[in-house]
Amino acid sequence: MIQTLRAQHALAHEGSPVRLSLKTRPEALDTGLTAAFTRALGYGIAEEVGLPPEAVASLTVDGPEWLSKTVSDVRVTWQPVPHAVRSDAVAEIMFLGAEGVPTGRYAGRLIAQRSGELGASVEADIHGARLQLLVPFDQRIEGTVRYSFDLTGREPAEAMKVLRLYQRILRGGSLRISVDGIDFGSGKLSTRGTDEDNAEVEKLLSYLTDLEIVQRYCESYFPAPLVYSGAERIDLRIARLLIEGRCVAYRSARTVTITLNGLDFPVLRTVLGPQPQCLRFGPPGFEVTVGGHTLDIGPVHLFHAHVTVDNGQQAIAALKAGRAADTKVVFRPQDGEHFRLYLADAPDGSRPLAPVPWLPRSPLRARSATSSRRTVPMTIHSEAGRRACAVDRLCHVGPSVGLRRRHRVPCGSGGRTPGRPARVARGRGRC
């Protein structure tokens, strides 16, 4: 049987009030049900809460004689009446540092503003994420927060805002809430995140930051792929460092294969000789593929200060015999190192060509590490450097470089010598 009560006039609640008294069996309430009941009754959250019969000790209805009764072992469903708010109402959460100085602000659309027996609540949509704050009236009690979000389908810039707010919540601390510029309440959140949680957030933020920089540089925007390989992650970081004017050891460039066209010049004999040479190759572009999307950051240079030739003597012999056309020559850096990469139109041409790490622990550490290196730029004087233009007429690079396609490139001096190579950390593509 369902009974629905409706007020007959505006003062019905005063002339003929109806009161409900509910007694529960705490031992029958699980943690989730207790928390939901507290949110609904204690803070006014418009959340439907259903109590199973075994959790209801008694339900007493006190009102007109025909309605008054006490029942037990019945299912009780609590459905608060939602309150409408202005569509343009703004909620803002402000994080506070030492002496109450603001350290972060996040504003969004107000969804609801309510109160209950224990405190007040604010619900807001911030950059597409749902934020629910419970602020107790007793300031000695810490507030609680519920934050739900989904990064699927978001571009990197938007996803970073959502994730940084989540990071703030994990770290805890003092905060202040305002609605339409009027203070709603303040409180303190305890630290919620474990070291592993914070490390995962840092790793994902680092990935999103790199992707946003590369997308903005290429003017190619798409939702951030949340599944990627370790190789894609490393290439993305390399692209970001190249855009910033850094020099990077390229993981796929251990050798460069050129094919001679048969012409013979003294500079080519020097390059093919037994002494290591400072050489630079100019492929047409550097592409990064992430989640099936390709980003091209433009022309780059392959460079190393100490390049040797695997079959230089055989190539010289072929030149002397006039049979060097279509002869393949393999170049590789000394000591098993990789060729270095730097952007052809680097924003700062005065930087020393010292490779920086691919994946530091955080973007901030990456910047401080590269700015504090002590490499001194030096000018190299070599025959290969002074005659770099002549080599372009004699060779082209084969596909072993691993960039885009078969192409002709100049071979010459990079003009600077790299410092001691930095240690390279491998990254994992799990998010």
Side-chain angles (χ1 to χ4, degrees):
M1 181 180 67
I2 299 176
Q3 290 180 309
T4 303
L5 301 181
R6 292 186 177 89
Q8 300 299 312
H9 53 81
L11 299 178
H13 63 286
E14 296 180 0
S16 183
V18 177
R19 296 180 178 86
L20 300 178
S21 299
L22 176 66
K23 292 183 179 180
T24 62
R25 299 186 180 100
E27 66 277 5
L29 299 176
D30 59 29
T31 304
L33 192 56
T34 300
F37 205 65
T38 300
R39 289 193 297 270
L41 295 181
Y43 294 90
I45 296 295
E47 178 178 355
E48 181 176 309
V49 181
L51 297 179
E54 60 272 16
V56 179
S58 65
L59 175 64
T60 299
V61 181
D62 183 14
E65 184 179 352
W66 61 269
L67 182 63
S68 298
K69 65 177 67 176
T70 298
V71 295
S72 60
D73 296 323
V74 294
R75 178 179 295 276
V76 176
T77 301
W78 175 264
Q79 290 180 310
V81 177
H83 298 281
V85 297
R86 297 194 342 264
S87 59
D88 60 344
V90 176
E92 182 183 72
I93 177 171
M94 180 191 305
F95 294 91
L96 307 174
E99 300 180 357
V101 177
T103 58
R105 295 172 183 260
Y106 294 84
R109 179 180 61 86
L110 179 67
I111 297 175
Q113 177 184 353
R114 306 182 185 90
S115 62
E117 294 181 355
L118 302 178
S121 63
V122 169
E123 294 180 83
D125 182 290
I126 299 181
H127 302 298
R130 185 69 173 255
L131 180 68
Q132 185 183 89
L133 287 164
L134 308 181
V135 183
F137 293 138
D138 188 347
Q139 295 186 357
R140 295 171 298 178
I141 302 176
E142 289 186 343
T144 58
V145 61
R146 300 175 73 195
Y147 185 56
S148 58
F149 62 93
D150 186 0
L151 299 182
T152 304
R154 298 179 184 273
E155 290 188 2
E158 184 184 15
M160 283 191 292
K161 295 175 184 177
V162 173
L163 205 57
R164 285 198 174 107
L165 177 54
Y166 177 57
Q167 186 181 53
R168 285 279 190 176
I169 294 171
L170 288 179
R171 291 174 178 173
S174 300
L175 56 85
R176 183 182 303 145
I177 308 144
S178 64
V179 175
D180 285 338
I182 300 174
D183 283 348
F184 175 81
S186 59
K188 185 175 182 180
L189 295 177
S190 60
T191 302
R192 283 153 163 56
T194 63
D195 291 342
E196 184 177 355
D197 292 334
N198 288 303
E200 286 296 316
V201 172
E202 283 285 355
K203 183 169 62 176
L204 188 51
L205 276 173
S206 175
Y207 160 71
L208 292 172
T209 301
D210 289 354
L211 182 58
E212 193 276 333
I213 289 173
V214 178
Q215 282 190 354
R216 180 157 37 91
Y217 181 84
C218 298
E219 291 191 65
S220 177
Y221 301 97
F222 50 84
L226 300 179
V227 178
Y228 49 87
S229 67
E232 288 177 329
R233 178 67 188 96
I234 291 173
D235 283 349
L236 185 63
R237 170 51 61 92
I238 289 175
R240 181 244 176 106
L241 294 173
L242 292 175
I243 290 169
E244 292 179 343
R246 316 294 185 183
C247 178
V248 189
Y250 185 46
R251 63 182 182 85
S252 299
R254 288 187 177 274
T255 62
V256 170
T257 300
I258 67 172
T259 302
L260 301 181
N261 59 13
L263 298 179
D264 188 5
F265 288 92
V267 66
L268 180 59
R269 298 289 186 97
T270 301
V271 169
L272 297 175
Q275 296 300 319
Q277 299 293 314
C278 179
L279 297 179
R280 184 185 72 193
F281 303 86
F286 182 80
E287 291 180 345
V288 178
T289 300
V290 182
H293 300 271
T294 300
L295 297 165
D296 188 349
I297 67 171
V300 296
H301 291 310
L302 282 170
F303 163 83
H304 201 279
H306 304 284
V307 179
T308 60
V309 188
D310 286 1
N311 56 334
Q313 295 304 312
Q314 293 88 335
I316 291 175
L319 287 171
K320 291 179 178 179
R323 294 181 283 99
D326 296 325
T327 297
K328 298 185 183 300
V329 182
V330 179
F331 293 87
R332 68 177 70 243
Q334 273 189 334
D335 302 324
E337 293 188 356
H338 295 73
F339 279 98
R340 316 314 191 194
L341 273 182
Y342 64 95
L343 202 60
D345 298 323
D348 185 357
S350 64
R351 290 183 183 272
L353 294 178
V356 295
W358 288 336
L359 294 178
R361 292 185 180 179
S362 70
L364 289 178
R365 293 185 185 180
R367 284 191 287 269
S368 62
T370 53
S371 63
S372 63
R373 64 179 184 267
R374 299 180 179 178
T375 305
V376 179
M378 298 175 62
T379 302
I380 294 177
H381 299 281
S382 67
E383 289 298 317
R386 286 194 288 268
R387 303 179 184 178
C389 296
V391 182
D392 186 35
R393 301 194 300 272
L394 308 176
C395 61
H396 59 270
V397 176
S400 63
V401 177
L403 293 179
R404 279 207 301 193
R405 59 183 180 270
R406 190 178 181 91
H407 48 270
R408 294 176 60 85
V409 297
C411 307
S413 170
R416 288 160 288 182
T417 184
R420 182 179 180 182
R423 297 184 63 185
V424 176
R426 291 186 177 272
R428 295 178 296 169
R430 183 169 59 90
C431 68

